[in-house]
Amino acid sequence: MVTVRPRRVRVVCWASAVALLVVFSLVATSLSGSTGEGYGTFQRGDQFAMVGLGVFGALGFLLFTRPRVTADARGVRVRNVISSYELPWEVVRGVRFDRGAPWASLELHDDDLLPMVALQAADKESAVEAVRALRRLHQAHLAALAAGQPAPR
């Protein structure tokens, strides 16, 4: 079984989420008094709203830590930022990691390419090793089919 998550992006996203939350909290504590030359003043609700915006922004950053690829003898499960796919090896033609591509992708028999955001070029050698492991699982499945063995369930 192979399970892959991006490394560098997770570190950057967590650091950015914490920094954003800290900045919005600091801004919220500085919101007090008059809003300018008018009659408006900052209230406690304005401070809570600013912290709430920081929380939503941090959650938005953390959404990019979601990608994961899990594969075994039966197939591959790809979870990207928003979408998820579960594919048997029968529909996969190959695992691609083109030069200059930001992440690897699965080439399907219907000529579609399914991006695997978890396998990012920024992770360098760990991403290459993960692609090799996926290719080995795919080749093992193809060899089992060629030998006439039933596909694993």
Side-chain angles (χ1 to χ4, degrees):
M1 177 176 251
V2 176
T3 301
V4 182
R5 297 185 77 181
R7 293 182 181 174
R8 286 193 178 178
V9 168
R10 288 176 50 204
V11 170
V12 169
C13 286
W14 275 101
S16 298
V18 168
L20 186 73
L21 193 54
V22 167
V23 166
F24 271 75
S25 297
L26 290 174
V27 169
T29 58
S30 69
L31 290 179
S32 62
S34 176
T35 60
E37 294 184 21
Y39 293 109
T41 59
F42 288 112
Q43 303 293 321
R44 180 76 56 197
D46 298 321
Q47 292 174 325
F48 286 131
M50 190 58 69
V51 172
L53 286 174
V55 168
F56 281 123
L59 291 174
F61 277 129
L62 294 180
L63 191 61
F64 290 95
T65 65
R66 187 176 183 270
R68 176 184 301 181
V69 173
T70 306
D72 56 19
R74 292 178 291 163
V76 60
R77 285 156 297 289
V78 178
R79 185 171 72 183
N80 288 331
V81 175
I82 295 176
S83 57
S84 296
Y85 304 92
E86 186 167 345
L87 303 170
W89 285 118
E90 286 85 11
V91 301
V92 177
R93 182 182 297 159
V95 180
R96 294 176 55 167
F97 202 170
D98 298 331
R99 184 175 298 278
W103 45 69
S105 59
L106 291 175
E107 184 177 2
L108 306 179
H109 282 291
D110 62 359
D111 293 330
D112 278 344
L113 284 177
L114 176 65
M116 294 185 290
V117 179
L119 293 169
Q120 298 195 356
D123 291 333
K124 299 183 180 169
E125 194 57 38
S126 64
V128 171
E129 286 302 318
V131 168
R132 288 179 182 152
L134 288 174
R135 286 177 178 163
R136 282 192 297 271
L137 281 171
H138 185 238
Q139 290 301 320
H141 178 78
L142 292 177
L145 287 179
Q149 298 174 353
R153 296 279 170 207

